[in-house]
Amino acid sequence: MTTRSHCQALDAQDPLAPLRRQFALPQGVIYLDGNSLGARPVAALTRAQAVIAEEWGNGLIRSWNSAGWADLSQRLGNRLAPLIGARDNEVVITDTTSINLFKVLSAALTVQRQRQPHRKVIVSEASNFPTDLYIAEGLAELLQQGYSLRLVNSPDELPQAIDQDVAVVMLTHVNYKTGYMYDMQALTALSHECGALSIWDLAHSAGAVPIDLHQAGADYAIGCTYKYLNGGPGSQAFVWVNPALVDVVRQPLSGWFGHTRQFAMESTYAPSAGIARYLCGTQPITSLAMVECGLEIFAQTDMASLRSKSLALTDLFIALVEARCAAHDLKLITPREHARRGSHVSFEHPEGYAVIQALIARGVIGDYREPRIMRFGFTPLYTSFTEVFDAVEILGDILDHHTWDQPQFKVRNSVT
């Protein structure tokens, strides 16, 4: 049996443990929801104050030049690029994940329309994050050219679903419900063999698992910065396009920040070369600036070290839950295999929502997703082994004593 003392020893030996001090974590809280919203870097408050008081307050509009606001999206993109296997000047941080997906899916369909106009199918999985499916549905309806969305119910169905009618395979690298992680290289190769392009949503993997977009041969990738990258609530998303495709077509949201001569104020659009053409309108500088605080912490470690700790944390959590809570109706839906697991663990329970609310009341923050899914995220930058032990003990106590079976824990909040 793993003991709390053993977990404390693991923390004492953990080379990443000092990074925890760079996050503002509340006392008495075990935060296991960094897969939904990352914790605040301590430096973010100072950075926000500097942007508001000095750059905006004193610099005023001059700060577009003097404080480097004009190229902030590109500079931050270069800081993020190594975490996803991209290179300098291949990533921009801008807009939302949904908007960036609209851009790249539109671009990919345009490329295919020029090359193989008969391809009209977008393949994804039924359990993909809903906004991705909604964007694909909306775009297919907008184009009115016979496009359709083909959904699979499990990863095993993908090889049969990708045929000669498929234009784009659109997948989330780590499934938001189950934590299942796709083999990006193998799936991209399969897509290419069938003549399809690949789009990868990295929202639940960027900053959590090693990614190499170039090695995988990916075509397009998008993702958010407010989960494992700790950019802040609603912080800007990112977009990457394979250099072989980036200048082939222009994305449809042709705003002035993507213009090659922005301040020439021309009446017709001429897209910038490279990834800058995936910019659109004026950037929200105050929130964008805070993204850098999270990226600066990643620069002090490497993804291999983070992945090693992530697997150790999730292995420990699964083992402890299955030992401590064996008498209860829990079902693990996250893969046990390391190669198929992201950095969050999901268990089903018939009263999953109420159990999560009871945990939150005890200071253990996870979240709930339909149907019956309790999610627990493990962020190696700040999650400790002792916290894992303590969280499982509290979970076991709640289940043993049916603490969740109280009216206040069954009232549905608007955000679960």
Side-chain angles (χ1 to χ4, degrees):
M1 291 290 292
T2 299
T3 65
R4 193 173 194 274
S5 295
H6 174 67
C7 292
Q8 289 174 324
L10 291 175
D11 288 329
Q13 300 163 9
D14 176 18
L16 298 179
L19 297 177
R20 179 183 171 91
R21 294 193 292 269
Q22 298 184 45
F23 291 90
L25 295 162
Q27 290 293 322
V29 169
I30 298 174
Y31 191 62
L32 302 182
D33 209 12
N35 56 304
S36 191
L37 174 65
R40 175 175 70 84
V42 172
L45 181 58
T46 303
R47 180 71 181 110
Q49 289 172 330
V51 172
I52 294 170
E54 179 57 35
E55 296 178 9
W56 178 20
N58 293 325
L60 296 168
I61 200 168
R62 295 170 294 183
S63 288
W64 283 102
N65 294 313
S66 61
W69 290 356
D71 63 352
L72 185 57
S73 290
Q74 294 96 317
R75 286 192 287 110
L76 294 182
N78 287 342
R79 298 206 71 160
L80 186 149
L83 303 182
I84 58 174
R87 299 166 186 157
D88 278 353
N89 304 315
E90 289 184 356
V91 180
V92 287
I93 298 181
T94 183
D95 297 325
T96 67
T97 305
S98 300
I99 291 172
N100 286 337
L101 178 59
F102 181 88
K103 296 173 190 175
V104 299
L105 182 56
S106 300
L109 293 177
T110 301
V111 170
Q112 291 289 55
R113 192 159 57 246
Q114 294 174 353
R115 296 176 177 178
Q116 306 176 87
H118 69 282
R119 293 181 178 270
K120 300 288 187 178
V121 175
I122 303 162
V123 167
S124 192
E125 57 180 337
S127 64
N128 200 353
F129 193 74
T131 196
D132 291 30
L133 303 182
Y134 303 160
I135 289 292
E137 284 182 351
L139 183 58
E141 182 178 345
L142 177 67
L143 293 173
Q144 295 186 342
Q145 295 179 20
Y147 288 99
S148 63
L149 187 58
R150 179 184 297 166
L151 302 180
V152 301
N153 293 312
S154 73
D156 295 338
E157 296 178 9
L158 275 170
Q160 291 72 41
I162 305 173
D163 58 25
Q164 299 305 309
D165 295 323
V166 174
V168 174
V169 178
M170 180 187 75
L171 295 170
T172 297
H173 186 211
V174 173
N175 184 280
Y176 82 102
K177 286 186 178 181
T178 66
Y180 178 95
M181 183 168 68
Y182 279 104
D183 184 332
M184 183 186 293
Q185 188 165 354
L187 261 296
T188 299
L190 176 63
S191 301
H192 289 172
E193 287 171 13
C194 296
L197 295 173
S198 67
I199 296 175
W200 290 97
D201 183 338
L202 308 180
H204 288 269
S205 51
V209 301
I211 301 166
D212 193 331
L213 291 169
H214 277 280
Q215 182 177 330
D219 298 306
Y220 303 88
I222 49 93
C224 66
T225 64
Y226 54 78
K227 300 183 192 298
Y228 294 104
L229 297 175
N230 308 296
S235 59
Q236 284 65 46
F238 62 87
V239 55
W240 171 88
V241 179
N242 191 301
L245 293 169
V246 71
D247 290 324
V248 173
V249 298
R250 79 186 204 190
Q251 58 95 359
L253 301 182
S254 44
W256 76 315
F257 263 70
H259 198 288
T260 189
R261 296 174 295 275
Q262 181 182 7
F263 277 88
M265 301 298 184
E266 298 168 0
S267 59
T268 56
Y269 186 72
S272 295
I275 195 63
R277 68 174 53 197
Y278 279 81
L279 296 171
C280 183
T282 302
Q283 305 302 306
I285 296 299
T286 307
S287 59
L288 185 60
M290 287 191 288
V291 174
E292 191 161 20
C293 301
L295 296 177
E296 286 173 344
I297 300 174
F298 279 93
Q300 302 170 46
T301 183
D302 58 81
M303 288 308 305
S305 298
L306 292 168
R307 178 61 170 165
S308 178
K309 183 178 176 182
S310 166
L311 290 172
L313 290 167
T314 50
D315 280 344
L316 176 65
F317 183 74
I318 292 169
L320 288 174
V321 169
E322 293 185 332
R324 174 66 178 82
C325 307
H328 300 285
D329 193 4
L330 292 171
K331 178 184 177 183
L332 176 69
I333 63 170
T334 298
R336 297 180 188 275
E337 306 94 325
H338 286 181
R340 292 289 176 267
R341 187 196 309 161
S343 201
H344 70 270
V345 175
S346 297
F347 280 93
E348 284 188 353
H349 186 276
E351 297 290 341
Y353 179 82
V355 175
I356 285 292
Q357 298 310 304
L359 279 166
I360 293 171
R362 293 277 298 273
V364 179
I365 301 179
D367 65 19
Y368 174 81
R369 294 293 180 266
E370 293 288 356
R372 304 177 300 280
I373 296 172
M374 304 187 299
R375 296 195 313 174
F376 302 91
F378 300 86
T379 306
L381 291 171
Y382 52 78
T383 305
S384 73
F385 292 95
T386 305
E387 286 180 314
V388 173
F389 185 91
D390 291 345
V392 175
E393 283 296 304
I394 294 170
L395 173 62
D397 184 71
I398 287 170
L399 294 174
D400 288 346
H401 295 93
H402 287 238
T403 310
W404 55 266
D405 194 12
Q406 299 180 43
Q408 69 267 30
F409 298 141
K410 299 182 180 182
V411 176
R412 292 295 181 110
N413 295 316
S414 57
V415 176
T416 64

